[in-house]
Amino acid sequence: MRLAWLSWLLRHFTEYGYSQGPLRAAIGTAAVLVTAALAWFALHRNRPAAVAAAGLTSALGIGWLAFH
């Protein structure tokens, strides 16, 4: 599923807010993924909550980057 999401993101790279350049897009996406990793590690004792928090953080963060 993650590979499908990344391939979709690459196909639609210029259609959304990622058109400001690959460097800005990479920095923003990396920041979102680091934030998702921090959410995962903060909740690692409760695996379902960690998965949900990291997934939600990633989806909302990358979605926000894509449309703003």
Side-chain angles (χ1 to χ4, degrees), residues 30-63:
V32 168
L33 294 178
V34 167
T35 304
L38 290 174
W40 176 284
F41 289 126
L43 298 169
H44 74 278
R45 291 185 186 260
N46 186 353
R47 187 173 174 90
V51 170
L56 185 64
T57 302
S58 297
L60 291 177
I62 292 174

Side-chain angles (χ1 to χ4, degrees), residues 1-13:
M1 186 65 169
R2 290 179 186 160
L3 292 176
W5 170 253
L6 288 176
S7 68
W8 179 87
L9 192 60
L10 289 174
R11 278 185 300 186
H12 299 285
F13 190 76

Side-chain angles (χ1 to χ4, degrees), residues 12-41:
H12 299 285
F13 190 76
T14 59
E15 293 179 13
Y16 303 110
Y18 284 106
S19 63
Q20 295 179 359
L23 180 61
R24 286 184 182 216
I27 291 170
T29 304
V32 168
L33 294 178
V34 167
T35 304
L38 290 174
W40 176 284
F41 289 126

